[in-house]
Amino acid sequence: MEDFSEYVGLSRPTVSKYFNDPSSVRKKTREAIEDALRKSGFKPNLFAVNLNRRRSNIIGIIIPNALDPFYMALTRRIQSIAAEAGFLAFVLSSDGRPEVEDDAVSTLQSMNVAGAIIAPIGTTSRNSALRALARDIPLVYVDAPPDEEASFVGSDNRQSFGLIVDYLCRSGEPPCFFGMPEVNRNAGHRREVYIEAMETAGLKPAVLDISTGGTWDFERFAFEEASRLLERVENLPTRTIVCANDRLAFGVIAAAWQKGLKVGHGAAFDLRVAGHDDHPLSQYACPPITTVAQNYNEIGRLAIGLLLKKLGEADDADDVRLRRDQILLKSDLMLRASA
């Protein structure tokens, strides 16, 4: 910046003022700086600039899997709204591994980010790095909260599982539950709300006995576990399976196909399989998956809205939900051929 200021023949404060807000300097000064930028090719180091600020204009995002369409849709929405508010959203992936998540937290701290939106992995007992980060900057969690007190935007699992369990019970055999690996608080919570929904209907819950391994490779996990369970279909407690998420349903349906079992609704089929989340690819599975839909765009909009409010960059005038620190969204039933 010193070299560029000397090159353009202006003081460093004036040049810095231009980079913070081009409209804040006189037209003649702005034209001189922009002409010098074209000739010199100078670009300010965004991260160095932010390290010198009391509060940067960078927002951090940590997700478990950068290739998952759910997280891709979520981050795209957050980045778009952040940019409109004058913030750069910087995305890091934990790759579903605790040590990588801790490294991502350290990276955000080194970047002097203003705040962060995080889809955490693991359970409360291992979130010391996140708790330390929360002491320095505002955090908003999505997908699964690390504890009961955290600021969170996500789906109301109690409402959504009540919806899918009620439909499955009314349209055929009551469902058994195919759970997810214990990778975050969603695993235990979704199992609990399934049990609650079944008991509310006056029915006995049936949780399938599967591994509790900590893998994020949900499709492979479900395929291997379902292949074992489907060796003797007659031993299943029911011919209807509701999965904790759609990625598990992909694996269950693939295992059923390999075993020669027909998945679908009606007397001509061997098995009904339903999911949860309305994964972007669930409508293109074979058969398309009956599920309950999370509103990805709304989760992203409210998460960045809540974070901007914590940063003093927005208010709750346009959405009264932003007055709460935890926002649970209702899900919609998506009826398709799998169940």
Side-chain angles (χ1 to χ4, degrees), residues 269-283:
F269 297 93
D270 303 302
L271 203 63
R272 290 196 300 164
V273 178
H276 190 286
D277 294 347
D278 197 26
H279 187 284
L281 300 179
S282 62
Q283 62 182 309

Side-chain angles (χ1 to χ4, degrees), residues 4-219:
F4 180 73
S5 300
E6 184 178 344
Y7 175 79
V8 75
L10 295 168
S11 69
R12 175 165 178 165
T14 299
V15 172
S16 180
K17 189 177 180 182
Y18 166 84
F19 283 120
N20 285 324
D21 180 8
S23 65
S24 66
V25 300
R26 291 180 300 173
K27 181 182 179 183
K28 186 175 180 180
T29 301
R30 185 167 64 249
E31 289 174 348
I33 293 173
E34 290 171 352
D35 181 58
L37 285 172
R38 284 190 294 270
K39 291 177 178 177
S40 68
F42 171 76
K43 292 183 177 63
N45 186 318
L46 176 64
F47 298 110
V49 170
N50 277 290
L51 286 173
N52 286 327
R53 290 177 172 168
R54 182 179 59 84
R55 194 190 77 185
S56 74
N57 66 339
I58 301 176
I59 288 173
I61 303 174
I62 301 177
I63 54 175
N65 188 334
L67 299 179
D68 188 298
F70 167 76
Y71 295 116
M72 290 172 67
L74 194 65
T75 55
R76 186 166 60 246
R77 180 68 162 154
I78 292 169
Q79 287 176 309
S80 174
I81 297 174
E84 291 174 5
F87 286 85
L88 170 68
F90 189 81
V91 184
L92 294 168
S93 172
S94 65
D95 197 30
R97 293 186 289 164
E99 67 276 13
V100 180
E101 183 181 73
D102 290 346
D103 288 343
V105 169
S106 296
T107 298
L108 294 187
Q109 289 171 319
S110 71
M111 292 170 62
N112 190 32
V113 298
I117 296 173
I118 298 175
I121 62 175
T123 55
T124 308
S125 61
R126 70 142 309 270
N127 285 320
S128 57
L130 294 177
R131 285 195 295 271
L133 184 63
R135 290 194 289 269
D136 297 329
I137 60 171
L139 301 183
V140 174
Y141 293 94
V142 292
D143 192 32
D147 53 57
E148 298 295 337
E149 290 75 36
S151 297
F152 173 69
V153 180
S155 295
D156 183 344
N157 286 331
R158 183 165 281 104
Q159 179 266 344
S160 58
F161 266 92
L163 201 62
I164 191 72
V165 167
D166 175 70
Y167 162 72
L168 293 171
C169 290
R170 286 188 292 104
S171 58
E173 289 186 45
C176 55
F177 180 74
F178 194 106
M180 59 190 282
E182 300 286 335
V183 293
N184 60 21
R185 293 184 77 239
N186 259 344
H189 189 235
R190 290 188 174 185
R191 181 172 59 250
E192 291 167 8
V193 294
Y194 157 78
I195 292 171
E196 181 181 306
M198 291 289 283
E199 291 176 343
T200 298
L203 298 167
K204 184 179 179 181
V207 177
L208 294 174
D209 183 18
I210 59 174
S211 167
T212 59
T215 179
W216 278 83
D217 192 352
F218 295 159
E219 294 86 356

